[in-house]
Amino acid sequence: MGSQVQAASRCRDPGPIFGEIAPEIIEDTLIHLATENEQHLGELSDRAGCFKETQIVEFIFLLSEKWHLDQSARYQAVELLERFMIKQVEQICKSSRENVTSREQGQGSSWSSLKDQIYDTFVLRLVSCIQLASKLSLHYNIVNSDTALKFLQFLKYSYTKQELLESELAVLKTLHFQINVSTPLAYVELLLEVLGHNGCLLPAKPLHQMCMQLLDFSYLTRDTIYDTLLKIAIENSTPNKLQVTETHRWQYHSKAAPQELWNKGSREQNYAS
């Protein structure tokens, strides 16, 4: 028993350490994140946010907590599921349009059956995204097939280990194996580094904990937050569809804010010297 407690304490996430990164590394990272964000915006689907409903995010958060994953893994799982589901829906819609003639002749799959396919495999895909996210974590607390399969069987699903592996592969192939993308947490932690570099007197760790709570809150109440911001910005309680879409796209632009703060700090340092 004592050895198990010691092993658990060694594996426990100590949290990020701030103030140890060289300024040039911070600047290079900011440039990389800004470039990545710009590319992401260029490829952003109009369906962005459709699979970030509160129940879905809460399910991922609770399951990640059950499996003792760190914070970055659960955010990564949410983003993976969102990207995968959008790609899957787009592929099915494209296939449906291409096969419309054969469906009229009584051949091919109907839209109803394709929709059922998405519904029937959704929990499996969600679990696969959590598994993949756990493998991207630097803390190596990986959700293996046995753990995932046991959970699915608890929910009365009769998947096999082979089907579980095939589900992971389906997610990877659909996303072209590009699964290690930056989450909002990366921007939060880099922003804290920038604040520290610019002479912020507040301790970083309490700020980090507060940011994590706010990030959780924003994930769980995403639609409410952005709908409220939109209504305030346009001074209209009934925004049209275009305004809603543009507001949802705006949230991704906000990730680039640390670059401006860094540039401001650099200018102030140059002035002081």
Side-chain angles (χ1 to χ4, degrees), residues 194-227:
V194 173
L195 287 173
H197 181 82
N198 289 347
C200 179
L201 299 179
L202 296 174
K205 284 201 172 184
L207 278 177
H208 182 262
Q209 289 297 322
M210 182 177 65
C211 288
M212 297 295 290
Q213 293 173 357
L214 289 173
L215 193 55
D216 284 355
F217 179 75
S218 66
Y219 263 92
L220 291 167
T221 58
R222 175 185 178 277
D223 289 340
T224 302
I225 289 174
Y226 284 102
D227 287 346

Side-chain angles (χ1 to χ4, degrees), residues 32-236:
H32 169 74
L33 287 178
T35 302
E36 183 182 79
N37 190 55
E38 184 176 359
Q39 179 182 356
H40 181 60
L41 282 169
E43 300 170 352
L44 190 63
S45 170
D46 291 337
R47 298 178 177 87
C50 290
F51 295 94
K52 288 184 178 178
E53 295 180 0
T54 299
Q55 290 117 327
I56 296 174
V57 174
E58 187 176 17
F59 189 6
I60 292 175
F61 280 12
L62 290 173
L63 193 50
S64 298
E65 186 176 346
K66 172 182 173 64
W67 286 335
H68 307 291
L69 301 182
D70 60 84
Q71 302 283 64
S72 62
R74 66 187 195 176
Y75 299 134
Q76 188 71 263
V78 172
E79 301 300 332
L80 277 174
L81 182 65
E82 159 93 342
R83 292 169 57 219
F84 167 76
M85 291 304 300
I86 288 175
K87 288 283 187 183
Q88 187 181 49
V89 169
E90 289 175 345
Q91 288 174 0
I92 289 177
C93 289
K94 180 180 178 181
S95 176
S96 180
R97 287 193 298 269
E98 291 174 351
N99 296 328
V100 64
T101 303
S102 62
R103 289 204 310 276
E104 289 174 352
Q105 297 173 352
Q107 301 173 358
S109 300
S110 66
W111 170 247
S112 178
S113 65
L114 293 172
K115 186 171 64 172
D116 289 342
Q117 178 186 347
I118 294 177
Y119 288 157
D120 292 342
T121 60
F122 183 78
V123 175
L124 175 63
R125 302 305 189 219
L126 184 150
V127 169
S128 294
C129 288
I130 295 178
Q131 281 190 274
L132 290 169
S134 74
K135 295 173 183 178
L136 293 173
S137 171
L138 296 177
H139 302 289
Y140 302 108
N141 192 10
I142 294 174
V143 179
N144 58 38
S145 297
D146 291 333
T147 300
L149 200 59
K150 183 178 179 181
F151 172 75
L152 289 168
Q153 290 172 348
F154 174 77
L155 296 181
K156 308 303 181 183
Y157 290 101
S158 56
Y159 294 115
T160 64
K161 186 173 291 188
Q162 180 63 30
E163 288 174 319
L164 193 61
L165 294 173
E166 289 173 354
S167 178
E168 280 192 87
L169 188 58
V171 174
L172 289 170
K173 285 183 176 179
T174 300
L175 297 178
H176 305 292
F177 291 85
Q178 298 177 0
I179 61 172
N180 192 14
V181 296
S182 300
T183 68
L185 179 61
Y187 293 85
V188 166
E189 293 183 343
L190 189 59
L191 176 58
L192 291 176
E193 280 287 351
V194 173
L195 287 173
H197 181 82
N198 289 347
C200 179
L201 299 179
L202 296 174
K205 284 201 172 184
L207 278 177
H208 182 262
Q209 289 297 322
M210 182 177 65
C211 288
M212 297 295 290
Q213 293 173 357
L214 289 173
L215 193 55
D216 284 355
F217 179 75
S218 66
Y219 263 92
L220 291 167
T221 58
R222 175 185 178 277
D223 289 340
T224 302
I225 289 174
Y226 284 102
D227 287 346
T228 302
L229 288 174
L230 172 60
K231 292 172 183 177
I232 293 173
I234 66 174
E235 298 181 348
N236 186 347

